[in-house]
Amino acid sequence: MLPALAVYASHSAIQVVEGAFREGVGVVLFGPSWRLRLYSRFPSLRFHVVECMGGGCLERLGDECVIVPNGSLVEYVGWEALERSRVPLFGLRGLMRWESSWGSKMRLLREAGLNTPRVYENPEEVDTMVIVKLPGAKGGRGYFTSDNPEEIRRRLEGYVEAGLLKSISDAAIQEYVVGVTMYAHYFYSPLLKRLELTGFDVRYESNVDALARAPKRLREVIGQSFTVVGNFPVYPREALLESFIQAGESFVEATRRVIPPGVIGPFCLECIVTEELELVFFEFSGRIVAGTNVYLLGSPYLALYWGEPMTVGRRIAKEIRMASDENRLGDVTT
Ligand code: AMP
């Protein structure tokens, strides 16, 4: 039986609902009523609704569903609840635990042989400009830059007191790499045994993207912050595409070795490209990223594999439809 896609109502849900409709796959949108309201405003989006909150949501989904995880699901329902849930998940369930801690996240990138920024174990080690990050899919919220160990410890202790952080060691302290960011989106198909490049985006972050336009005196006193507000599409020079594809292939191989059966469906490798055109990978997401929304009318790269415009949302529905038709749902869910 063709399952319905169960999607948390936020993040990239419009894209998945729209894509599933084009592939003739049903969608159950779930979440609190205030999040669900948005989707009923668009007449051509078709879906069923389950109104629910937090971890309790997963118990409301039937066996006829396949969860399509997104960043909001991981942040608001939590990877622990997802790990416990018996509802099939399109993707590699075990990857979410790896993603939940900065230590294991960076270990997996290194396991893939990718270039990563220097990581500092504690504030006192810091001897250069660093970016300090909170765990979880918070869209850059709370990140800051500093080259001062005392300031870093003081701010992190403040986060612990405010309950934003369990312990200082849960934050990531990474060398600040100068270059432009590029978020590379991929889709690994276990059915076709093929990695597809699906696109690239750049985040539009407040206030760091506004500082260049701020009056000089303000720039001197305001610290950088990295709250994601939106995304832009970006097209790397063609000569870089092969390097990006090889990085994606190495990541697929690493997840196969370390977390069998390996990554399934969409994922993202987040990197900075330096002026020497070196790729430095500072993070990954083992699921659809909101940056794929920039291709709501179809990714030009996916069209090169499929001969027609295709969003990542539609690509997910297509893989599930193909798996269902071939009786291979077990190969694309965990
Ligand atoms: P993230 O939430 O990890 O994707 O990072 C949010 C933003 O922080 C990125 O878009 C970059 O602007 C910036 N960033 C993250 N890591 C680094 C790094 N190691 N060096 C410089 N900028 C970074």
Side-chain angles (χ1 to χ4, degrees):
M1 194 192 69
L2 181 63
L5 312 187
V7 181
Y8 190 82
S10 185
H11 191 265
S12 44
I14 290 178
Q15 196 195 142
V16 179
V17 173
E18 199 272 344
F21 179 68
R22 286 181 189 275
E23 289 294 317
V25 180
V27 176
V28 174
L29 267 189
F30 64 94
S33 58
W34 62 271
R35 284 196 185 276
L36 289 162
R37 192 181 314 134
L38 168 71
Y39 304 89
S40 52
R41 294 183 188 274
F42 303 111
S44 72
L45 293 183
R46 312 278 165 78
F47 51 88
H48 297 280
V49 162
V50 169
E51 229 182 281
C52 57
M53 293 284 279
C57 281
L58 302 178
E59 284 148 33
R60 303 274 312 280
L61 303 174
D63 288 347
E64 67 289 356
C65 290
V66 168
I67 297 172
V68 175
N70 61 33
S72 298
L73 181 70
V74 175
E75 186 61 16
Y76 303 123
V77 172
W79 65 269
E80 294 98 330
L82 281 161
E83 212 166 55
R84 282 193 304 271
S85 167
R86 289 168 176 274
V87 183
L89 179 132
F90 179 70
L92 179 60
R93 204 178 290 252
L95 190 54
M96 286 184 292
R97 179 190 286 267
W98 279 73
E99 225 185 306
S100 68
S101 118
W102 278 108
S104 50
K105 209 174 211 181
M106 298 311 287
R107 212 178 322 137
L108 191 55
L109 290 174
R110 287 193 292 265
E111 174 72 28
L114 301 176
N115 228 337
T116 53
R118 182 170 167 201
V119 169
Y120 296 83
E121 296 303 327
N122 60 63
E124 285 65 38
E125 277 180 17
V126 168
D127 55 2
T128 183
M129 183 56 74
V130 295
I131 177 162
V132 183
K133 315 184 195 184
L134 299 181
K138 293 192 173 53
R141 228 172 257 144
Y143 290 14
F144 64 91
T145 50
S146 174
D147 58 0
N148 179 328
E150 288 91 56
E151 183 200 0
I152 297 170
R153 177 160 291 277
R154 182 171 33 80
R155 290 187 69 166
L156 287 177
E157 280 171 356
Y159 282 167
V160 173
E161 268 167 42
L164 289 168
L165 197 60
K166 277 202 197 108
S167 129
I168 287 186
S169 60
D170 289 340
I173 307 177
Q174 287 182 359
E175 159 200 5
Y176 190 95
V177 180
V178 178
V180 295
T181 51
M182 280 201 181
Y183 287 48
H185 318 150
Y186 305 88
F187 186 99
Y188 181 72
S189 164
L191 300 180
L192 305 177
K193 296 197 177 10
R194 179 168 85 182
L195 179 72
E196 297 170 9
L197 184 66
T198 70
F200 299 85
D201 81 286
V202 183
R203 291 168 158 201
Y204 197 33
E205 295 163 323
S206 194
N207 64 12
V208 70
D209 289 315
L211 286 182
R213 298 188 336 150
K216 187 163 178 285
R217 280 194 22 226
L218 269 185
R219 282 207 300 274
E220 284 158 8
V221 292
I222 294 179
Q224 292 172 315
S225 57
F226 298 86
T227 304
V228 181
V229 181
N231 306 77
F232 295 109
V234 61
Y235 293 85
R237 41 200 288 181
E238 201 160 296
L240 283 176
L241 289 183
E242 183 57 28
S243 308
F244 274 113
I245 291 171
Q246 285 177 14
E249 286 172 345
S250 305
F251 185 78
V252 172
E253 283 309 316
T255 58
R256 279 219 190 106
R257 278 195 306 277
V258 181
I259 323 163
V263 69
I264 296 167
F267 67 96
C268 174
L269 297 180
E270 311 179 358
C271 90
I272 292 168
V273 187
T274 68
E275 60 187 333
E276 287 82 28
L277 297 183
E278 189 191 17
L279 309 185
V280 184
F281 291 89
F282 59 87
E283 177 153 22
F284 74 83
S285 299
R287 42 146 181 95
I288 187 169
V289 286
T292 61
N293 291 340
V294 298
Y295 301 111
L296 201 52
L297 295 178
S299 147
Y301 295 102
L302 268 177
L304 299 174
Y305 300 93
W306 292 93
E308 59 175 325
M310 171 93 49
T311 64
V312 173
R314 181 170 173 192
R315 183 65 190 85
I316 291 169
K318 187 180 264 310
E319 190 80 0
I320 290 177
R321 170 171 272 295
M322 290 193 306
S324 169
D325 289 349
E326 295 172 27
N327 236 338
R328 292 179 61 189
L329 277 171
D331 290 345
V332 299
T333 54
T334 52

Short mmCIF file of all heavy atoms in Angstrom, two decimals, residues 102 105 117-118 130-131 133-134 136 138-141 143 145 174-179 181 183 202-205 208-209 226-228 270 272 280-285, ligand 1:
data_model
loop_
_atom_site.label_atom_id
_atom_site.label_comp_id
_atom_site.label_asym_id
_atom_site.label_seq_id
_atom_site.Cartn_x
_atom_site.Cartn_y
_atom_site.Cartn_z
N TRP A 102 27.56 18.16 18.83
CA TRP A 102 28.59 18.72 17.96
C TRP A 102 29.78 17.79 17.82
O TRP A 102 30.38 17.70 16.75
CB TRP A 102 29.04 20.09 18.48
CG TRP A 102 28.11 21.16 18.07
CD1 TRP A 102 27.22 21.83 18.86
CD2 TRP A 102 27.96 21.69 16.75
NE1 TRP A 102 26.52 22.73 18.10
CE2 TRP A 102 26.96 22.67 16.81
CE3 TRP A 102 28.57 21.42 15.52
CZ2 TRP A 102 26.55 23.40 15.70
CZ3 TRP A 102 28.17 22.14 14.41
CH2 TRP A 102 27.17 23.11 14.51
N LYS A 105 28.87 15.04 15.40
CA LYS A 105 28.63 15.65 14.09
C LYS A 105 29.95 15.89 13.35
O LYS A 105 30.13 15.49 12.20
CB LYS A 105 27.94 17.00 14.33
CG LYS A 105 27.04 17.42 13.24
CD LYS A 105 26.33 18.69 13.68
CE LYS A 105 24.96 18.72 13.05
NZ LYS A 105 24.20 19.88 13.38
N PRO A 117 36.74 22.86 10.06
CA PRO A 117 37.45 23.91 10.80
C PRO A 117 38.05 23.35 12.08
O PRO A 117 37.57 22.33 12.59
CB PRO A 117 36.35 24.92 11.14
CG PRO A 117 35.06 24.29 10.82
CD PRO A 117 35.28 23.03 10.08
N ARG A 118 39.07 24.03 12.60
CA ARG A 118 39.63 23.61 13.88
C ARG A 118 38.57 23.75 14.96
O ARG A 118 37.79 24.71 14.97
CB ARG A 118 40.84 24.50 14.19
CG ARG A 118 41.50 24.09 15.45
CD ARG A 118 42.83 24.78 15.67
NE ARG A 118 43.23 24.55 17.04
CZ ARG A 118 44.08 25.29 17.72
NH1 ARG A 118 44.67 26.31 17.13
NH2 ARG A 118 44.38 24.99 18.97
N VAL A 130 36.88 32.82 16.87
CA VAL A 130 36.06 31.60 16.77
C VAL A 130 34.58 31.97 16.64
O VAL A 130 34.18 33.10 16.94
CB VAL A 130 36.22 30.69 18.01
CG1 VAL A 130 37.63 30.14 18.12
CG2 VAL A 130 35.79 31.40 19.29
N ILE A 131 33.80 30.99 16.18
CA ILE A 131 32.34 31.13 16.22
C ILE A 131 31.85 30.08 17.22
O ILE A 131 32.31 28.94 17.21
CB ILE A 131 31.71 30.97 14.82
CG1 ILE A 131 30.17 31.05 14.91
CG2 ILE A 131 32.12 29.69 14.12
CD1 ILE A 131 29.50 31.35 13.57
N LYS A 133 28.66 28.01 18.87
CA LYS A 133 27.32 27.60 18.42
C LYS A 133 26.62 26.73 19.45
O LYS A 133 27.25 25.88 20.08
CB LYS A 133 27.43 26.79 17.12
CG LYS A 133 28.35 27.37 16.09
CD LYS A 133 28.25 26.51 14.85
CE LYS A 133 29.36 26.77 13.89
NZ LYS A 133 29.19 26.00 12.67
N LEU A 134 25.31 26.91 19.55
CA LEU A 134 24.49 26.07 20.42
C LEU A 134 24.13 24.79 19.68
O LEU A 134 24.13 24.76 18.46
CB LEU A 134 23.21 26.81 20.81
CG LEU A 134 23.40 28.11 21.58
CD1 LEU A 134 22.06 28.72 21.94
CD2 LEU A 134 24.21 27.85 22.84
N GLY A 136 21.56 21.69 18.32
CA GLY A 136 20.17 21.62 17.82
C GLY A 136 19.98 22.46 16.57
O GLY A 136 20.87 23.20 16.15
N LYS A 138 18.62 25.29 15.57
CA LYS A 138 18.05 26.55 16.06
C LYS A 138 18.13 27.67 15.04
O LYS A 138 17.91 28.84 15.37
CB LYS A 138 18.76 26.98 17.35
CG LYS A 138 18.48 26.04 18.50
CD LYS A 138 18.94 26.61 19.82
CE LYS A 138 18.50 25.73 20.98
NZ LYS A 138 18.90 24.33 20.82
N GLY A 139 18.52 27.34 13.83
CA GLY A 139 18.60 28.37 12.80
C GLY A 139 19.58 29.47 13.15
O GLY A 139 19.33 30.64 12.90
N GLY A 140 20.72 29.09 13.73
CA GLY A 140 21.78 30.06 14.00
C GLY A 140 21.56 30.90 15.25
O GLY A 140 22.41 31.71 15.62
N ARG A 141 20.42 30.73 15.92
CA ARG A 141 20.10 31.58 17.07
C ARG A 141 21.11 31.38 18.21
O ARG A 141 21.45 30.25 18.54
CB ARG A 141 18.69 31.28 17.56
CG ARG A 141 17.95 32.57 17.76
CD ARG A 141 16.50 32.39 18.05
NE ARG A 141 15.73 32.66 16.86
CZ ARG A 141 14.64 32.01 16.53
NH1 ARG A 141 14.22 31.03 17.25
NH2 ARG A 141 13.99 32.35 15.45
N TYR A 143 24.26 32.08 18.30
CA TYR A 143 25.67 31.96 17.91
C TYR A 143 26.35 33.31 18.13
O TYR A 143 25.73 34.36 17.98
CB TYR A 143 25.80 31.62 16.42
CG TYR A 143 25.36 30.24 16.00
CD1 TYR A 143 24.60 29.42 16.83
CD2 TYR A 143 25.71 29.76 14.75
CE1 TYR A 143 24.20 28.17 16.41
CE2 TYR A 143 25.31 28.50 14.33
CZ TYR A 143 24.56 27.71 15.17
OH TYR A 143 24.17 26.47 14.74
N THR A 145 30.54 35.39 17.86
CA THR A 145 31.97 35.29 17.53
C THR A 145 32.78 36.00 18.61
O THR A 145 32.30 36.97 19.20
CB THR A 145 32.26 35.95 16.16
OG1 THR A 145 31.69 37.25 16.16
CG2 THR A 145 31.69 35.14 15.02
N GLN A 174 34.26 26.76 17.16
CA GLN A 174 34.97 26.47 15.90
C GLN A 174 35.76 27.68 15.46
O GLN A 174 35.31 28.82 15.60
CB GLN A 174 33.97 26.15 14.78
CG GLN A 174 33.31 24.82 14.88
CD GLN A 174 32.38 24.56 13.68
OE1 GLN A 174 32.22 25.41 12.79
NE2 GLN A 174 31.77 23.40 13.66
N GLU A 175 36.91 27.42 14.89
CA GLU A 175 37.70 28.47 14.23
C GLU A 175 36.79 29.20 13.23
O GLU A 175 36.02 28.55 12.52
CB GLU A 175 38.84 27.74 13.50
CG GLU A 175 39.49 28.47 12.39
CD GLU A 175 40.23 27.50 11.45
OE1 GLU A 175 40.16 26.25 11.61
OE2 GLU A 175 40.87 28.02 10.53
N TYR A 176 36.83 30.52 13.20
CA TYR A 176 36.03 31.29 12.24
C TYR A 176 36.75 31.25 10.90
O TYR A 176 37.86 31.78 10.75
CB TYR A 176 35.85 32.74 12.72
CG TYR A 176 34.84 33.47 11.88
CD1 TYR A 176 33.50 33.55 12.25
CD2 TYR A 176 35.21 34.05 10.67
CE1 TYR A 176 32.57 34.19 11.47
CE2 TYR A 176 34.27 34.70 9.87
CZ TYR A 176 32.96 34.76 10.28
OH TYR A 176 32.04 35.39 9.48
N VAL A 177 36.14 30.60 9.93
CA VAL A 177 36.77 30.44 8.61
C VAL A 177 36.29 31.58 7.71
O VAL A 177 35.07 31.80 7.58
CB VAL A 177 36.40 29.08 7.98
CG1 VAL A 177 37.07 28.92 6.62
CG2 VAL A 177 36.79 27.94 8.91
N VAL A 178 37.21 32.29 7.11
CA VAL A 178 36.83 33.41 6.23
C VAL A 178 36.64 32.87 4.80
O VAL A 178 37.50 32.17 4.26
CB VAL A 178 37.89 34.53 6.25
CG1 VAL A 178 37.51 35.65 5.29
CG2 VAL A 178 38.03 35.07 7.67
N GLY A 179 35.50 33.18 4.24
CA GLY A 179 35.16 32.72 2.89
C GLY A 179 33.68 32.89 2.71
O GLY A 179 33.01 33.49 3.56
N THR A 181 29.83 31.20 2.35
CA THR A 181 29.16 29.95 2.70
C THR A 181 28.42 29.40 1.50
O THR A 181 27.92 30.16 0.65
CB THR A 181 28.15 30.17 3.85
OG1 THR A 181 27.32 31.26 3.50
CG2 THR A 181 28.84 30.44 5.16
N TYR A 183 25.67 26.00 0.99
CA TYR A 183 25.02 24.83 1.57
C TYR A 183 24.65 23.91 0.41
O TYR A 183 23.80 24.25 -0.41
CB TYR A 183 23.77 25.26 2.35
CG TYR A 183 24.08 25.96 3.66
CD1 TYR A 183 25.03 26.98 3.73
CD2 TYR A 183 23.46 25.59 4.83
CE1 TYR A 183 25.33 27.60 4.93
CE2 TYR A 183 23.74 26.21 6.04
CZ TYR A 183 24.69 27.22 6.07
OH TYR A 183 24.98 27.84 7.27
N VAL A 202 22.38 29.81 0.09
CA VAL A 202 23.10 30.62 1.06
C VAL A 202 22.06 31.18 2.00
O VAL A 202 20.96 31.55 1.57
CB VAL A 202 23.79 31.82 0.38
CG1 VAL A 202 24.61 32.59 1.38
CG2 VAL A 202 24.65 31.38 -0.77
N ARG A 203 22.39 31.22 3.27
CA ARG A 203 21.43 31.76 4.24
C ARG A 203 21.52 33.29 4.31
O ARG A 203 22.59 33.86 4.11
CB ARG A 203 21.74 31.20 5.60
CG ARG A 203 21.46 29.75 5.71
CD ARG A 203 22.07 29.26 7.00
NE ARG A 203 21.43 28.06 7.45
CZ ARG A 203 21.48 27.65 8.72
NH1 ARG A 203 22.12 28.37 9.62
NH2 ARG A 203 20.89 26.55 9.07
N TYR A 204 20.39 33.88 4.62
CA TYR A 204 20.31 35.32 4.82
C TYR A 204 20.12 35.50 6.32
O TYR A 204 19.05 35.15 6.85
CB TYR A 204 19.13 35.85 4.03
CG TYR A 204 19.12 37.34 3.81
CD1 TYR A 204 20.30 38.06 3.64
CD2 TYR A 204 17.92 38.02 3.72
CE1 TYR A 204 20.28 39.42 3.41
CE2 TYR A 204 17.89 39.38 3.48
CZ TYR A 204 19.08 40.08 3.33
OH TYR A 204 19.06 41.43 3.10
N GLU A 205 21.17 35.99 7.00
CA GLU A 205 21.17 35.93 8.45
C GLU A 205 21.22 37.32 9.07
O GLU A 205 21.98 38.18 8.64
CB GLU A 205 22.39 35.12 8.92
CG GLU A 205 22.30 33.68 8.50
CD GLU A 205 23.63 32.93 8.57
OE1 GLU A 205 24.68 33.53 8.27
OE2 GLU A 205 23.60 31.75 8.94
N VAL A 208 24.24 39.46 10.80
CA VAL A 208 25.55 39.47 10.14
C VAL A 208 25.46 39.99 8.69
O VAL A 208 26.37 40.69 8.23
CB VAL A 208 26.23 38.07 10.24
CG1 VAL A 208 25.54 37.04 9.38
CG2 VAL A 208 27.70 38.15 9.88
N ASP A 209 24.37 39.71 8.00
CA ASP A 209 24.24 40.17 6.61
C ASP A 209 23.81 41.63 6.52
O ASP A 209 23.72 42.19 5.43
CB ASP A 209 23.26 39.28 5.85
CG ASP A 209 23.86 37.91 5.59
OD1 ASP A 209 25.04 37.85 5.18
OD2 ASP A 209 23.18 36.89 5.83
N PHE A 226 23.59 35.40 14.02
CA PHE A 226 23.41 34.55 12.84
C PHE A 226 22.01 33.95 12.74
O PHE A 226 21.84 32.80 12.35
CB PHE A 226 24.47 33.42 12.87
CG PHE A 226 25.88 33.93 12.83
CD1 PHE A 226 26.55 34.30 13.99
CD2 PHE A 226 26.54 34.06 11.62
CE1 PHE A 226 27.84 34.79 13.96
CE2 PHE A 226 27.84 34.55 11.57
CZ PHE A 226 28.49 34.92 12.75
N THR A 227 20.99 34.71 13.10
CA THR A 227 19.63 34.17 13.04
C THR A 227 19.18 34.07 11.57
O THR A 227 19.13 35.08 10.87
CB THR A 227 18.66 35.08 13.83
OG1 THR A 227 19.16 35.19 15.16
CG2 THR A 227 17.26 34.50 13.85
N VAL A 228 18.83 32.86 11.14
CA VAL A 228 18.43 32.67 9.75
C VAL A 228 17.05 33.29 9.53
O VAL A 228 16.11 33.01 10.27
CB VAL A 228 18.36 31.18 9.39
CG1 VAL A 228 17.96 30.99 7.92
CG2 VAL A 228 19.69 30.51 9.64
N GLU A 270 27.26 21.62 4.77
CA GLU A 270 27.33 23.07 4.89
C GLU A 270 28.80 23.47 4.91
O GLU A 270 29.56 22.94 5.72
CB GLU A 270 26.60 23.47 6.17
CG GLU A 270 25.24 22.77 6.19
CD GLU A 270 24.38 23.03 7.40
OE1 GLU A 270 24.80 23.75 8.30
OE2 GLU A 270 23.26 22.50 7.40
N ILE A 272 32.17 26.40 3.84
CA ILE A 272 32.70 27.71 3.50
C ILE A 272 33.72 27.49 2.39
O ILE A 272 34.53 26.56 2.48
CB ILE A 272 33.35 28.36 4.74
CG1 ILE A 272 32.25 28.69 5.75
CG2 ILE A 272 34.16 29.61 4.35
CD1 ILE A 272 32.73 29.07 7.10
N VAL A 280 35.57 23.98 3.16
CA VAL A 280 35.73 23.65 4.59
C VAL A 280 34.32 23.38 5.13
O VAL A 280 33.48 24.28 5.17
CB VAL A 280 36.39 24.81 5.36
CG1 VAL A 280 36.63 24.40 6.82
CG2 VAL A 280 37.70 25.23 4.70
N PHE A 281 34.06 22.13 5.54
CA PHE A 281 32.70 21.73 5.94
C PHE A 281 32.54 21.91 7.45
O PHE A 281 33.28 21.33 8.23
CB PHE A 281 32.45 20.28 5.53
CG PHE A 281 32.35 20.14 4.03
CD1 PHE A 281 33.50 19.91 3.27
CD2 PHE A 281 31.14 20.29 3.39
CE1 PHE A 281 33.42 19.81 1.89
CE2 PHE A 281 31.06 20.20 2.01
CZ PHE A 281 32.20 19.96 1.26
N PHE A 282 31.57 22.73 7.85
CA PHE A 282 31.42 23.02 9.28
C PHE A 282 30.18 22.38 9.89
O PHE A 282 29.97 22.45 11.09
CB PHE A 282 31.43 24.53 9.54
CG PHE A 282 30.34 25.30 8.83
CD1 PHE A 282 29.09 25.45 9.41
CD2 PHE A 282 30.58 25.87 7.60
CE1 PHE A 282 28.09 26.16 8.77
CE2 PHE A 282 29.58 26.59 6.94
CZ PHE A 282 28.34 26.73 7.53
N GLU A 283 29.33 21.74 9.09
CA GLU A 283 28.11 21.15 9.64
C GLU A 283 27.44 20.30 8.57
O GLU A 283 27.71 20.47 7.37
CB GLU A 283 27.17 22.29 10.08
CG GLU A 283 25.86 21.78 10.57
CD GLU A 283 25.12 22.64 11.57
OE1 GLU A 283 25.36 23.86 11.64
OE2 GLU A 283 24.29 22.08 12.26
N PHE A 284 26.55 19.38 9.00
CA PHE A 284 25.69 18.68 8.03
C PHE A 284 24.29 18.56 8.60
O PHE A 284 24.08 18.71 9.81
CB PHE A 284 26.26 17.28 7.70
CG PHE A 284 26.08 16.26 8.80
CD1 PHE A 284 24.89 15.56 8.96
CD2 PHE A 284 27.10 16.01 9.71
CE1 PHE A 284 24.72 14.65 9.99
CE2 PHE A 284 26.94 15.11 10.75
CZ PHE A 284 25.76 14.42 10.88
N SER A 285 23.33 18.30 7.74
CA SER A 285 21.96 17.99 8.16
C SER A 285 21.55 16.71 7.45
O SER A 285 21.65 16.63 6.22
CB SER A 285 20.98 19.10 7.76
OG SER A 285 21.35 20.30 8.38
P1 AMP B 1 25.08 26.82 11.00
O1 AMP B 1 23.83 27.02 11.84
O2 AMP B 1 26.10 25.92 11.64
O3 AMP B 1 24.74 26.42 9.61
O4 AMP B 1 25.82 28.23 10.91
C1 AMP B 1 25.14 29.45 10.80
C2 AMP B 1 26.04 30.49 10.18
O5 AMP B 1 27.22 30.66 10.96
C3 AMP B 1 26.56 30.14 8.78
O6 AMP B 1 25.69 30.53 7.77
C4 AMP B 1 27.83 30.94 8.71
O7 AMP B 1 27.53 32.28 8.36
C5 AMP B 1 28.33 30.93 10.12
N1 AMP B 1 29.34 29.90 10.40
C6 AMP B 1 29.13 28.66 10.91
N2 AMP B 1 30.30 28.02 11.13
C7 AMP B 1 31.29 28.87 10.74
C8 AMP B 1 32.71 28.81 10.74
N3 AMP B 1 33.37 27.74 11.21
N4 AMP B 1 33.40 29.89 10.29
C9 AMP B 1 32.74 31.01 9.85
N5 AMP B 1 31.41 31.13 9.85
C10 AMP B 1 30.68 30.08 10.28
#
